[in-house]
Coordinates of all heavy atoms in Angstrom, one line a residue:
Y932 N 0.7 -1.2 0.0 CA 0.0 0.0 0.0 C 0.9 1.2 0.0 O 0.4 2.3 -0.4 CB -0.9 0.0 1.2 CG -2.1 -0.9 1.0 CD1 -2.1 -2.3 1.5 CD2 -3.3 -0.6 0.2 CE1 -3.2 -3.1 1.2 CE2 -4.4 -1.4 0.0 CZ -4.3 -2.6 0.5 OH -5.3 -3.5 0.3
F933 N 2.0 1.1 0.6 CA 2.9 2.4 0.7 C 3.4 2.8 -0.8 O 3.1 3.9 -1.1 CB 4.2 2.0 1.4 CG 5.2 3.1 1.3 CD1 5.1 4.3 2.0 CD2 6.3 3.0 0.5 CE1 6.0 5.3 2.0 CE2 7.2 4.0 0.4 CZ 7.1 5.2 1.1
F934 N 3.7 1.9 -1.6 CA 4.1 2.2 -2.9 C 2.9 2.6 -3.8 O 3.0 3.6 -4.7 CB 4.9 1.1 -3.7 CG 6.3 0.9 -2.9 CD1 6.5 -0.2 -2.2 CD2 7.3 1.9 -3.0 CE1 7.8 -0.4 -1.5 CE2 8.5 1.8 -2.4 CZ 8.7 0.6 -1.7
L935 N 1.8 2.1 -3.6 CA 0.6 2.6 -4.3 C 0.3 3.9 -3.9 O -0.1 4.8 -4.7 CB -0.6 1.6 -3.9 CG -1.9 1.9 -4.6 CD1 -1.8 1.8 -6.1 CD2 -3.0 0.9 -4.1
G936 N 0.4 4.3 -2.6 CA 0.1 5.6 -2.1 C 1.0 6.7 -2.7 O 0.6 7.7 -3.2
R937 N 2.2 6.2 -2.8 CA 3.3 7.1 -3.4 C 3.0 7.3 -4.9 O 3.1 8.5 -5.4 CB 4.6 6.5 -3.2 CG 5.3 6.7 -1.9 CD 5.6 8.1 -1.5 NE 6.7 8.7 -2.3 CZ 6.7 9.8 -2.9 NH1 5.7 10.6 -2.8 NH2 7.8 10.1 -3.8
A938 N 2.6 6.3 -5.6 CA 2.3 6.4 -7.1 C 1.2 7.4 -7.1 O 1.1 8.2 -8.0 CB 2.0 5.1 -7.6
Y939 N 0.0 7.2 -6.4 CA -1.1 8.1 -6.4 C -0.7 9.5 -6.2 O -1.1 10.5 -6.8 CB -2.2 7.7 -5.5 CG -3.1 6.6 -6.0 CD1 -3.3 5.5 -5.1 CD2 -3.7 6.5 -7.2 CE1 -4.1 4.4 -5.5 CE2 -4.5 5.5 -7.6 CZ -4.7 4.5 -6.7 OH -5.6 3.4 -7.2
Q940 N 0.2 9.8 -5.1 CA 0.6 11.1 -4.8 C 1.4 11.7 -5.9 O 1.1 12.8 -6.3 CB 1.6 11.0 -3.6 CG 1.9 12.4 -3.1 CD 2.8 12.4 -1.9 OE1 3.5 11.4 -1.7 NE2 2.9 13.4 -1.1
L941 N 2.2 10.9 -6.6 CA 3.1 11.5 -7.7 C 2.1 11.8 -8.9 O 2.4 12.7 -9.6 CB 4.2 10.5 -8.1 CG 5.2 10.3 -7.0 CD1 6.2 9.2 -7.4 CD2 6.1 11.6 -6.8
L942 N 1.1 11.1 -9.0 CA 0.1 11.4 -10.1 C -0.9 12.6 -9.8 O -1.7 13.0 -10.6 CB -0.7 10.2 -10.3 CG 0.1 9.0 -11.1 CD1 -0.7 7.8 -11.2 CD2 0.6 9.5 -12.5
G943 N -0.8 13.0 -8.5 CA -1.7 14.2 -8.1 C -3.1 13.6 -7.6 O -4.0 14.4 -7.4
N944 N -3.2 12.3 -7.3 CA -4.4 11.8 -6.9 C -4.4 11.7 -5.4 O -4.2 10.6 -4.8 CB -4.7 10.4 -7.5 CG -4.8 10.5 -9.0 OD1 -5.3 11.4 -9.5 ND2 -4.4 9.3 -9.6
N945 N -4.6 12.8 -4.7 CA -4.4 12.9 -3.3 C -5.4 12.0 -2.5 O -5.0 11.5 -1.4 CB -4.3 14.2 -2.8 CG -3.1 15.1 -3.3 OD1 -2.0 14.5 -3.3 ND2 -3.3 16.3 -3.6
K946 N -6.6 11.9 -2.9 CA -7.6 11.2 -2.2 C -7.2 9.7 -2.1 O -7.2 9.1 -1.0 CB -9.0 11.4 -2.8 CG -10.1 10.7 -2.0 CD -11.5 11.0 -2.6 CE -12.6 10.2 -1.9 NZ -13.8 10.4 -2.5
E947 N -6.9 9.1 -3.3 CA -6.4 7.8 -3.3 C -5.1 7.7 -2.6 O -4.9 6.6 -1.9 CB -6.3 7.3 -4.8 CG -7.7 7.3 -5.5 CD -8.0 8.6 -6.1 OE1 -7.3 9.6 -5.9 OE2 -9.1 8.6 -6.8
A948 N -4.2 8.6 -2.7 CA -2.9 8.5 -2.0 C -3.1 8.4 -0.5 O -2.5 7.6 0.2 CB -2.0 9.7 -2.3
E949 N -4.0 9.3 0.1 CA -4.4 9.2 1.4 C -4.9 7.9 1.9 O -4.4 7.3 2.9 CB -5.4 10.3 1.7 CG -5.8 10.4 3.2 CD -6.9 11.4 3.5 OE1 -7.3 12.2 2.7 OE2 -7.4 11.3 4.7
Q950 N -5.8 7.3 1.1 CA -6.4 6.0 1.6 C -5.3 4.9 1.5 O -5.2 4.2 2.5 CB -7.5 5.6 0.6 CG -8.7 6.5 0.7 CD -9.7 6.3 -0.4 OE1 -9.5 5.5 -1.4 NE2 -10.9 6.8 -0.3
A951 N -4.5 4.9 0.5 CA -3.4 3.9 0.5 C -2.3 4.1 1.6 O -1.9 3.1 2.2 CB -2.7 3.9 -1.0
L952 N -2.0 5.3 1.9 CA -1.0 5.6 2.8 C -1.4 5.3 4.2 O -0.8 4.7 5.1 CB -0.4 6.9 2.7 CG 0.5 7.3 1.5 CD1 0.7 8.7 1.3 CD2 1.8 6.5 1.7
R953 N -2.8 5.6 4.5 CA -3.3 5.3 5.8 C -3.4 3.7 5.9 O -3.1 3.2 7.0 CB -4.7 5.9 5.9 CG -4.7 7.3 6.2 CD -6.1 7.8 6.4 NE -6.2 9.3 6.6 CZ -5.9 10.0 7.6 NH1 -5.6 9.3 8.8 NH2 -6.0 11.3 7.7
K954 N -3.7 3.0 4.8 CA -3.8 1.6 5.0 C -2.4 0.9 5.2 O -2.2 0.1 6.0 CB -4.3 1.0 3.6 CG -4.6 -0.4 3.7 CD -5.7 -0.9 4.6 CE -6.1 -2.3 4.4 NZ -7.2 -2.7 5.3
S955 N -1.3 1.6 4.5 CA 0.0 1.2 4.8 C 0.3 1.3 6.3 O 1.0 0.4 6.9 CB 1.0 2.0 4.0 OG 2.3 1.7 4.3
I956 N 0.0 2.4 6.8 CA 0.3 2.6 8.3 C -0.5 1.6 9.1 O 0.1 1.1 10.1 CB 0.0 4.1 8.8 CG1 1.0 5.1 7.9 CG2 0.2 4.3 10.2 CD1 0.6 6.5 7.9
E957 N -1.7 1.4 8.8 CA -2.6 0.5 9.5 C -2.0 -0.9 9.6 O -1.9 -1.6 10.6 CB -4.0 0.4 8.9 CG -4.9 -0.5 9.6 CD -6.2 -0.6 8.8 OE1 -6.7 0.3 8.2 OE2 -6.8 -1.7 8.9
L958 N -1.5 -1.4 8.4 CA -1.1 -2.7 8.2 C 0.5 -2.9 8.8 O 0.8 -4.0 9.2 CB -1.0 -3.1 6.8 CG -2.5 -3.3 6.2 CD1 -2.3 -3.6 4.7 CD2 -3.2 -4.5 6.9
A959 N 1.2 -1.9 8.9 CA 2.6 -1.9 9.4 C 2.9 -0.7 10.1 O 3.8 0.2 9.7 CB 3.5 -2.1 8.1
P960 N 2.3 -0.5 11.2 CA 2.4 0.7 12.1 C 3.9 1.0 12.5 O 4.2 2.1 12.9 CB 1.4 0.6 13.2 CG 1.3 -0.9 13.4 CD 1.4 -1.4 11.9
Y961 N 4.7 0.0 12.7 CA 6.0 0.1 13.2 C 7.1 0.0 12.1 O 8.3 -0.2 12.4 CB 6.2 -0.9 14.3 CG 5.4 -0.5 15.5 CD1 4.2 -1.1 15.7 CD2 5.8 0.6 16.4 CE1 3.4 -0.7 16.8 CE2 5.0 0.9 17.3 CZ 3.8 0.3 17.6 OH 3.0 0.7 18.6
R962 N 6.7 0.2 10.9 CA 7.7 0.1 9.7 C 8.6 1.3 9.6 O 9.7 1.2 9.3 CB 6.9 0.1 8.4 CG 7.7 -0.1 7.2 CD 6.8 -0.2 6.0 NE 7.7 -0.4 4.8 CZ 8.0 0.6 4.0 NH1 7.6 1.8 4.3 NH2 8.7 0.4 3.0
G963 N 8.1 2.4 10.2 CA 9.0 3.7 10.2 C 8.1 4.9 9.9 O 6.9 4.7 9.8
L964 N 8.7 6.0 9.9 CA 7.9 7.2 9.7 C 7.8 7.6 8.2 O 7.2 8.7 7.9 CB 8.5 8.4 10.4 CG 8.4 8.3 12.0 CD1 9.3 9.3 12.6 CD2 7.0 8.5 12.3
E965 N 8.2 6.8 7.3 CA 8.2 7.2 5.8 C 6.7 7.3 5.4 O 6.5 8.4 4.7 CB 8.9 6.2 5.0 CG 9.2 6.6 3.6 CD 10.1 5.7 2.9 OE1 10.3 4.4 3.4 OE2 10.6 6.1 1.8
A966 N 5.9 6.5 5.6 CA 4.5 6.6 5.2 C 3.8 7.8 5.8 O 3.0 8.5 5.2 CB 3.7 5.3 5.5
E967 N 4.1 8.1 7.1 CA 3.5 9.2 7.8 C 4.0 10.6 7.1 O 3.1 11.4 6.9 CB 3.9 9.3 9.2 CG 3.0 8.3 10.1 CD 3.6 7.0 10.2 OE1 4.5 6.6 9.4 OE2 3.2 6.3 11.2
T968 N 5.2 10.5 6.7 CA 5.8 11.8 6.1 C 5.1 12.1 4.8 O 4.7 13.2 4.5 CB 7.3 11.5 5.9 OG1 8.0 11.3 7.1 CG2 7.9 12.8 5.2
Y969 N 4.9 11.0 4.0 CA 4.2 11.3 2.7 C 2.7 11.6 2.9 O 2.2 12.4 2.1 CB 4.4 10.1 1.7 CG 5.8 10.0 1.2 CD1 6.7 9.0 1.6 CD2 6.3 11.0 0.4 CE1 7.9 8.9 1.1 CE2 7.6 10.9 -0.1 CZ 8.4 9.9 0.2 OH 9.7 9.9 -0.2
L970 N 2.2 11.0 3.9 CA 0.8 11.2 4.2 C 0.6 12.6 4.7 O -0.5 13.3 4.3 CB 0.3 10.3 5.4 CG -1.2 10.5 5.7 CD1 -2.1 10.4 4.5 CD2 -1.6 9.4 6.8
L971 N 1.5 13.2 5.4 CA 1.5 14.6 5.8 C 1.4 15.5 4.6 O 0.6 16.5 4.5 CB 2.6 15.0 6.7 CG 2.6 14.4 8.1 CD1 3.8 14.8 8.8 CD2 1.4 14.9 8.9
G972 N 2.2 15.2 3.5 CA 2.2 16.0 2.4 C 0.9 15.9 1.7 O 0.4 16.9 1.2
V973 N 0.3 14.8 1.6 CA -1.0 14.6 0.9 C -2.1 15.3 1.7 O -2.9 16.1 1.1 CB -1.3 13.1 0.9 CG1 -2.8 12.8 0.5 CG2 -0.4 12.4 -0.2
L974 N -2.1 15.2 3.0 CA -3.0 15.9 3.8 C -2.9 17.5 3.7 O -3.9 18.2 3.6 CB -2.9 15.5 5.3 CG -3.4 14.1 5.6 CD1 -3.0 13.7 7.0 CD2 -4.8 13.8 5.3
R975 N -1.6 17.9 3.7 CA -1.4 19.4 3.5 C -2.0 19.8 2.2 O -2.6 20.9 2.1 CB 0.1 19.6 3.7 CG 0.4 21.1 3.6 CD 1.9 21.4 3.8 NE 2.5 20.7 4.9 CZ 3.6 19.9 4.8 NH1 4.1 19.6 3.6 NH2 4.0 19.3 5.9
A976 N -1.7 19.0 1.1 CA -2.2 19.4 -0.2 C -3.7 19.5 -0.3 O -4.2 20.2 -1.1 CB -1.6 18.3 -1.3
Q977 N -4.4 18.7 0.6 CA -5.9 18.8 0.6 C -6.4 19.7 1.6 O -7.6 19.9 1.9 CB -6.4 17.4 0.9 CG -6.0 16.2 -0.1 CD -6.6 14.9 0.3 OE1 -7.7 14.6 0.1 NE2 -5.8 14.2 1.0
G978 N -5.5 20.4 2.3 CA -5.9 21.4 3.3 C -6.4 20.8 4.6 O -7.0 21.5 5.4
K979 N -6.0 19.6 4.9 CA -6.5 18.8 6.2 C -5.4 19.0 7.2 O -4.7 17.9 7.6 CB -6.7 17.3 5.8 CG -7.9 17.2 4.8 CD -8.0 15.7 4.5 CE -9.2 15.4 3.6 NZ -9.4 14.0 3.3
I980 N -5.1 20.1 7.6 CA -4.0 20.4 8.5 C -4.3 19.7 9.9 O -3.3 19.1 10.4 CB -3.8 21.9 8.7 CG1 -3.5 22.6 7.3 CG2 -2.7 22.2 9.6 CD1 -2.4 22.0 6.5
A981 N -5.5 19.8 10.4 CA -5.8 19.3 11.6 C -5.5 17.6 11.6 O -5.0 17.2 12.6 CB -7.2 19.5 12.1
E982 N -5.9 17.0 10.6 CA -5.7 15.6 10.5 C -4.2 15.3 10.3 O -3.7 14.3 10.9 CB -6.3 15.1 9.3 CG -7.8 14.9 9.3 CD -8.6 14.4 8.2 OE1 -8.1 13.3 7.7 OE2 -9.5 15.1 7.6
G983 N -3.5 16.2 9.7 CA -2.0 16.0 9.7 C -1.4 16.2 10.9 O -0.4 15.3 11.3
R984 N -1.8 17.1 11.8 CA -1.3 17.1 13.2 C -1.5 15.8 13.9 O -0.6 15.4 14.6 CB -2.0 18.2 13.9 CG -1.6 19.6 13.4 CD -2.3 20.7 14.2 NE -2.1 22.0 13.5 CZ -3.0 22.9 13.4 NH1 -4.2 22.7 13.8 NH2 -2.8 24.0 12.8
E985 N -2.6 15.2 13.8 CA -2.9 13.9 14.5 C -1.9 12.9 13.9 O -1.4 12.1 14.7 CB -4.3 13.5 14.3 CG -5.3 14.5 15.0 CD -5.0 14.6 16.6 OE1 -4.7 13.6 17.2 OE2 -4.9 15.6 17.0
V986 N -1.7 12.8 12.6 CA -0.8 11.8 12.1 C 0.6 12.1 12.6 O 1.3 11.1 13.0 CB -0.8 11.9 10.5 CG1 0.3 11.1 9.9 CG2 -2.2 11.4 9.9
A987 N 1.0 13.3 12.7 CA 2.3 13.7 13.2 C 2.5 13.3 14.7 O 3.5 12.7 15.1 CB 2.5 15.2 13.1
R988 N 1.4 13.6 15.5 CA 1.5 13.1 16.9 C 1.6 11.7 17.0 O 2.4 11.2 17.9 CB 0.2 13.7 17.7 CG 0.3 15.2 17.9 CD -1.0 15.5 18.7 NE -1.1 16.9 18.8 CZ -2.2 17.5 18.3 NH1 -3.2 16.9 17.8 NH2 -2.2 18.9 18.4
A989 N 0.8 10.9 16.3 CA 0.8 9.5 16.4 C 2.1 9.0 16.0 O 2.7 8.0 16.6 CB -0.2 8.8 15.5
G990 N 2.8 9.5 14.9 CA 4.1 9.1 14.5 C 5.2 9.3 15.6 O 6.1 8.5 15.8
V991 N 5.0 10.5 16.2 CA 6.1 10.8 17.2 C 5.9 9.9 18.4 O 6.8 9.5 19.0 CB 5.9 12.4 17.7 CG1 6.7 12.6 18.9 CG2 6.3 13.2 16.4
A992 N 4.7 9.6 18.7 CA 4.3 8.7 19.9 C 4.9 7.3 19.6 O 5.5 6.7 20.5 CB 2.9 8.6 20.1
R993 N 4.8 6.7 18.4 CA 5.3 5.4 18.1 C 6.9 5.4 17.9 O 7.4 4.4 18.2 CB 4.7 4.9 16.8 CG 3.4 4.3 17.0 CD 3.0 3.5 15.8 NE 3.2 4.0 14.5 CZ 2.4 4.9 13.9 NH1 1.4 5.4 14.5 NH2 2.7 5.4 12.8
F994 N 7.5 6.5 17.5 CA 8.9 6.6 17.2 C 9.6 7.8 17.9 O 10.1 8.6 17.1 CB 9.2 6.6 15.7 CG 8.7 5.4 15.0 CD1 7.4 5.4 14.3 CD2 9.4 4.2 14.9 CE1 7.0 4.4 13.6 CE2 8.9 3.1 14.2 CZ 7.7 3.1 13.6
P995 N 9.5 7.9 19.1 CA 10.0 9.1 19.8 C 11.5 9.3 19.6 O 12.0 10.5 19.5 CB 9.7 8.9 21.3 CG 9.5 7.5 21.4 CD 9.0 6.9 20.2
N996 N 12.3 8.4 19.5 CA 13.7 8.4 19.2 C 14.1 8.6 17.8 O 15.2 8.9 17.5 CB 14.4 7.2 19.9 CG 14.3 7.2 21.4 OD1 14.2 8.2 22.0 ND2 14.2 6.0 21.9
S997 N 13.2 8.2 16.8 CA 13.5 8.3 15.5 C 13.0 9.5 14.7 O 13.5 9.8 13.6 CB 12.8 7.0 14.8 OG 13.4 5.9 15.3
V998 N 12.2 10.3 15.4 CA 11.5 11.4 14.8 C 12.6 12.4 14.2 O 12.4 13.0 13.1 CB 10.5 12.1 15.5 CG1 11.1 12.9 16.7 CG2 9.6 12.9 14.7
F999 N 13.6 12.6 14.9 CA 14.7 13.5 14.5 C 15.5 13.1 13.3 O 16.2 13.8 12.6 CB 15.6 13.9 15.7 CG 14.8 14.7 16.8 CD1 14.5 14.0 17.9 CD2 14.4 16.0 16.5 CE1 13.8 14.6 18.9 CE2 13.7 16.7 17.6 CZ 13.4 16.0 18.7
E1000 N 15.5 11.7 13.0 CA 16.2 11.2 11.9 C 15.3 11.1 10.7 O 15.9 10.9 9.6 CB 16.6 9.7 12.3 CG 17.5 9.6 13.5 CD 17.7 8.2 14.0 OE1 17.3 7.4 13.3 OE2 18.4 8.0 15.0
S1001 N 14.1 11.5 10.8 CA 13.2 11.5 9.6 C 13.1 12.9 9.2 O 13.5 13.9 9.7 CB 11.8 10.9 10.0 OG 11.1 11.9 10.7
S1002 N 12.2 13.1 8.1 CA 11.9 14.5 7.7 C 10.6 15.0 8.3 O 10.0 15.9 7.8 CB 11.8 14.4 6.2 OG 10.8 13.5 5.7
L1003 N 10.1 14.3 9.3 CA 8.8 14.6 10.0 C 9.2 15.3 11.3 O 10.0 14.8 12.1 CB 8.0 13.3 10.3 CG 6.8 13.4 11.3 CD1 5.7 14.3 10.6 CD2 6.3 12.1 11.6
W1004 N 8.5 16.4 11.6 CA 8.7 17.1 12.9 C 7.4 17.9 13.1 O 6.9 18.5 12.3 CB 9.9 18.1 12.7 CG 10.1 18.9 13.9 CD1 9.9 20.3 14.1 CD2 10.5 18.4 15.2 NE1 10.1 20.6 15.4 CE2 10.5 19.6 16.1 CE3 10.8 17.3 15.8 CZ2 10.9 19.4 17.5 CZ3 11.1 17.1 17.1 CH2 11.2 18.2 18.0
A1005 N 7.1 17.9 14.4 CA 6.0 18.5 14.8 C 6.4 19.4 16.0 O 7.1 18.8 16.9 CB 4.8 17.7 15.1
D1006 N 6.0 20.6 16.3 CA 6.4 21.3 17.5 C 5.7 20.7 18.6 O 4.9 19.9 18.5 CB 6.1 22.8 17.2 CG 4.6 23.2 17.3 OD1 3.8 22.3 17.5 OD2 4.2 24.3 16.9
A1007 N 6.0 21.2 19.8 CA 5.7 20.6 21.1 C 4.1 20.6 21.2 O 3.5 19.7 21.8 CB 6.2 21.4 22.2
E1008 N 3.5 21.6 20.7 CA 2.0 21.6 20.8 C 1.2 21.0 19.6 O 0.0 21.0 19.4 CB 1.5 23.1 20.9 CG 1.8 23.7 22.1 CD 3.2 24.2 22.3 OE1 3.8 24.6 21.2 OE2 3.8 24.1 23.4
G1009 N 2.0 20.5 18.7 CA 1.5 19.8 17.4 C 0.9 20.9 16.5 O 0.0 20.6 15.7
R1010 N 1.2 22.1 16.6 CA 0.6 23.2 15.9 C 1.1 23.2 14.4 O 0.3 23.6 13.6 CB 0.9 24.6 16.4 CG 0.2 24.9 17.7 CD 0.4 26.3 18.1 NE 1.8 26.6 18.0 CZ 2.6 27.0 19.1 NH1 2.1 27.2 20.2 NH2 3.9 27.3 18.9
S1011 N 2.2 22.8 14.2 CA 2.6 22.9 12.8 C 3.4 21.6 12.3 O 4.0 20.9 13.2 CB 3.5 24.1 12.5 OG 4.7 24.1 13.3
M1012 N 3.4 21.4 11.1 CA 4.3 20.3 10.6 C 5.4 21.0 9.7 O 5.1 21.8 8.9 CB 3.5 19.4 9.7 CG 2.4 18.7 10.4 SD 1.1 18.0 9.3 CE 0.3 19.4 8.6
I1013 N 6.6 20.7 10.1 CA 7.8 21.2 9.4 C 8.6 20.2 8.8 O 8.9 19.2 9.5 CB 8.6 22.0 10.5 CG1 7.6 23.1 11.1 CG2 9.8 22.7 9.8 CD1 8.3 23.6 12.4
K1014 N 9.0 20.3 7.6 CA 10.0 19.4 7.0 C 11.3 20.0 7.2 O 11.5 21.2 7.0 CB 9.7 19.3 5.6 CG 8.3 18.7 5.1 CD 8.3 17.3 5.1 CE 8.9 16.7 3.9 NZ 8.8 15.4 3.6
F1015 N 12.3 19.3 7.5 CA 13.7 19.7 7.6 C 14.6 18.7 7.1 O 14.3 17.6 6.9 CB 14.0 20.0 9.0 CG 14.2 18.8 10.0 CD1 15.5 18.4 10.3 CD2 13.2 18.2 10.5 CE1 15.7 17.3 11.0 CE2 13.4 17.1 11.3 CZ 14.7 16.7 11.6
Q1016 N 15.8 19.1 6.9 CA 16.8 18.2 6.4 C 17.9 18.2 7.5 O 18.3 19.1 8.0 CB 17.4 18.6 5.1 CG 16.5 18.6 3.9 CD 17.2 18.9 2.6 OE1 18.3 19.2 2.5 NE2 16.3 18.9 1.6
K1017 N 18.4 16.9 7.7 CA 19.5 16.7 8.6 C 20.8 17.4 8.2 O 21.0 17.4 6.9 CB 19.6 15.3 9.0 CG 18.6 14.6 9.7 CD 18.9 13.2 10.1 CE 19.8 12.4 9.3 NZ 20.0 11.0 9.7
I1018 N 21.5 18.0 9.0 CA 22.8 18.5 8.7 C 23.9 17.8 9.4 O 23.8 17.6 10.6 CB 22.8 20.1 9.1 CG1 21.7 20.8 8.4 CG2 24.2 20.6 8.8 CD1 21.5 22.3 9.0
H1019 N 24.7 17.2 8.6 CA 25.9 16.4 9.2 C 27.2 17.0 8.9 O 27.3 17.6 7.8 CB 25.8 15.0 8.7 CG 24.6 14.1 9.2 ND1 24.6 13.8 10.5 CD2 23.5 13.8 8.6 CE1 23.4 13.1 10.7 NE2 22.7 13.1 9.5

């Protein structure tokens, strides 16, 4: 479902991308934050910011030590979703 969601996203089919990425997270919730990261982009494109915050919070809760290694970041209050790149 992850790759199906990515394909839909790349084609601009955000509704289908959202469904597939959510299914990917449901079936493999501990796979990593990659699906959540792409889902955030899909939700942002659809103007579903509040839903994006919930996705971000859930991802941070499941992977508290990995969130800084991903491109997913939410502030302490979950008010915003920010993409960043690691600097090494």
Side-chain angles (χ1 to χ4, degrees):
Y932 285 95
F933 172 77
F934 292 108
L935 180 62
R937 284 292 292 134
Y939 280 134
Q940 183 183 24
L941 292 170
L942 292 170
N944 297 332
N945 289 319
K946 184 177 179 181
E947 293 85 355
E949 178 184 348
Q950 292 171 348
L952 289 167
R953 285 185 185 278
K954 188 68 171 180
S955 173
I956 295 165
E957 176 188 331
L958 294 175
Y961 292 98
R962 182 175 181 265
L964 289 170
E965 194 172 17
E967 283 90 342
T968 301
Y969 289 113
L970 179 56
L971 289 176
V973 168
L974 293 172
R975 187 179 308 123
Q977 297 179 86
K979 297 181 177 182
I980 304 304
E982 289 181 47
R984 289 181 189 136
E985 293 305 315
V986 169
R988 284 188 194 114
V991 170
R993 277 197 316 281
F994 298 99
N996 297 323
S997 300
V998 72
F999 295 106
E1000 297 171 3
S1001 77
S1002 59
L1003 169 67
W1004 175 251
D1006 67 12
E1008 289 79 34
R1010 287 188 310 244
S1011 62
M1012 297 169 285
I1013 304 165
K1014 301 272 284 185
F1015 74 97
Q1016 294 184 359
K1017 292 192 320 185
I1018 300 172
H1019 294 286

